[in-house]
Amino acid sequence: MIDKTSSPTTTPIDPVEFSETLTLWQKTHGRNDLPWQQDVTPYRVLVSELMLQQTQVATVIPYFERWLQHFPTVVALADASEDEVMTQWQGLGYYSRARNLHKAAKFVVQEMNGQLPDNIDELREVPGVGPYTAGAISAFAFNKPAALVDGNVKRLFSRYFGIEGDISSAKTNRTIWSYAEKYTPKADNRRYAQALLDLGATICTPRSPDCQRCPIKTSCNAYATNRTQVLPEKKAKKKIPTRHGYFLLDLSDEGVMLTQRSGDGIWPRLWCLPEVLEPLEKAHLHGSFKHVFSHYKLEALVFSQPVAQGGVRIPLEQLDNYGLPTPIRKYLNTLRT
């Protein structure tokens, strides 16, 4: 264990002491009651890891719990329709993750006898499973030694080891993965991996890290050199552009006309108000809405206009049975009040 009264140093502790310190800290201070940590199965880990990509834990929890109610096993998910899958995912964003999860379930059932493997190389064959997810499944589902690097680990290692350079660059990524592999313990990797994620998410946060409560602060390079606000280094963010969208509202006593979007672009395969390329000059403007994506802002106008063909009329009271983009659902919900 580290002598917490000693002066800060830029020299990292060895891998064994590092893992022992973090696992001991995690037992007392880490997150141990998350729903995917209970009744652990490879399938539950797969679902949670894909949901947690680019989404915070607090947001994921209710989605994860509802998902397991509808698709309790990998077989149940594989047998589900795309509409059922997208309906349960709606509102979580980054919809390619839902399609990847559906493809993964079908692949596991058809090619792996319904069982996710415990081998990293075989896990990488599953659609949607990259290096991090394969490591997470190996660590959390099977408690096997496997390095894993996500945003939390990148930030933690960048500060702890004093890794300079753009955090998103391939060179920096290789450096961080090399440390992750070197410092992965041979046993009890489940708790160690969770400790890394917990330390990054709750202590070594992007802004205002709580260094005084960090169990490895005295050997942290960034802490010793007063660079916790400098590392990790990032490229300057570009200004997010604004785009305009134009949608049609065809509403009658029988319901609202919706169309299912293609598998490409935003909101793939979700049901949506019909979209047109330009505003309709002679149509009545019904309303507007705004929505922020990761790479642009959408400012949308909604016109009252009959839809001649290509749509399906859905009663307003049945909208909950369909997968809709969050801003479209919010807009239509105002019509039900």
Side-chain angles (χ1 to χ4, degrees), residues 147-176:
L148 69 165
V149 174
D150 73 343
N152 286 311
V153 177
K154 283 185 177 182
R155 183 172 59 256
L156 174 63
F157 278 18
S158 174
R159 287 173 175 161
Y160 184 77
F161 295 107
I163 301 171
E164 300 175 349
D166 177 16
I167 193 69
S168 63
S169 71
K171 179 181 179 181
T172 303
N173 193 58
R174 287 194 297 269
T175 300
I176 292 174

Side-chain angles (χ1 to χ4, degrees), residues 73-143:
T73 65
V74 68
V75 174
L77 177 56
D79 290 342
S81 68
E82 186 177 78
D83 274 347
E84 290 176 304
V85 171
M86 301 310 284
T87 297
Q88 295 308 314
W89 194 275
Q90 62 183 338
L92 200 53
Y94 300 97
Y95 291 93
S96 61
R97 296 179 297 170
R99 290 188 292 171
N100 284 338
L101 188 50
H102 198 198
K103 290 178 184 176
K106 291 181 177 181
F107 183 88
V108 170
V109 169
Q110 296 169 3
E111 305 295 334
M112 296 179 165
N113 296 318
Q115 300 292 326
L116 277 160
D118 61 359
N119 178 278
I120 289 286
D121 293 333
E122 291 182 35
L123 283 168
R124 289 295 306 278
E125 297 176 11
V126 179
V129 175
Y132 167 78
T133 305
I137 294 173
S138 182
F140 295 132
F142 300 106
N143 203 18

Side-chain angles (χ1 to χ4, degrees), residues 132-337:
Y132 167 78
T133 305
I137 294 173
S138 182
F140 295 132
F142 300 106
N143 203 18
K144 283 197 165 187
L148 69 165
V149 174
D150 73 343
N152 286 311
V153 177
K154 283 185 177 182
R155 183 172 59 256
L156 174 63
F157 278 18
S158 174
R159 287 173 175 161
Y160 184 77
F161 295 107
I163 301 171
E164 300 175 349
D166 177 16
I167 193 69
S168 63
S169 71
K171 179 181 179 181
T172 303
N173 193 58
R174 287 194 297 269
T175 300
I176 292 174
W177 269 100
S178 69
Y179 276 113
E181 291 167 354
K182 179 180 178 181
Y183 274 70
T184 296
K186 302 301 181 185
D188 201 15
N189 194 43
R190 177 183 289 141
R191 188 173 294 278
Y192 169 76
Q194 189 63 54
L196 286 178
L197 303 184
D198 290 350
L199 194 59
T202 65
I203 301 295
C204 197
T205 51
R207 289 174 290 276
S208 303
D210 191 357
C211 297
Q212 296 308 312
R213 294 199 300 127
C214 178
I216 51 174
K217 72 174 186 292
T218 56
S219 55
C220 173
N221 184 289
Y223 180 73
T225 59
N226 196 30
R227 292 191 297 166
T228 58
Q229 301 299 327
V230 176
L231 297 175
E233 296 179 359
K234 297 180 180 179
K235 285 184 178 179
K237 286 187 177 181
K238 296 181 180 180
K239 184 179 180 180
I240 299 178
T242 297
R243 298 182 185 176
H244 298 278
Y246 310 102
F247 297 86
L248 307 181
L249 177 65
D250 182 349
L251 182 64
S252 70
D253 292 339
E254 287 73 37
V256 63
M257 193 71 77
L258 299 180
T259 58
Q260 190 171 32
R261 298 177 70 91
S262 70
D264 301 321
I266 65 168
W267 304 327
R269 307 301 299 166
L270 294 186
W271 290 88
C272 185
L273 294 174
E275 186 176 8
V276 292
L277 296 178
E278 298 178 348
L280 305 182
E281 295 181 359
K282 297 183 179 180
H284 171 69
L285 179 62
H286 183 274
S288 64
F289 64 85
K290 297 180 180 180
H291 188 70
V292 179
F293 295 93
S294 61
H295 51 297
Y296 70 91
K297 299 176 182 177
L298 174 66
E299 293 185 354
L301 299 178
V302 180
F303 296 92
S304 294
Q305 176 73 18
V307 178
Q309 59 184 2
V312 176
R313 194 169 296 280
I314 299 173
L316 293 180
E317 61 271 16
Q318 293 183 17
L319 289 178
D320 291 342
N321 298 326
Y322 292 80
L324 275 68
T326 297
I328 299 296
R329 180 173 297 281
K330 288 181 178 178
Y331 190 89
L332 292 178
N333 279 343
T334 64
L335 307 177
R336 297 202 284 184
T337 57

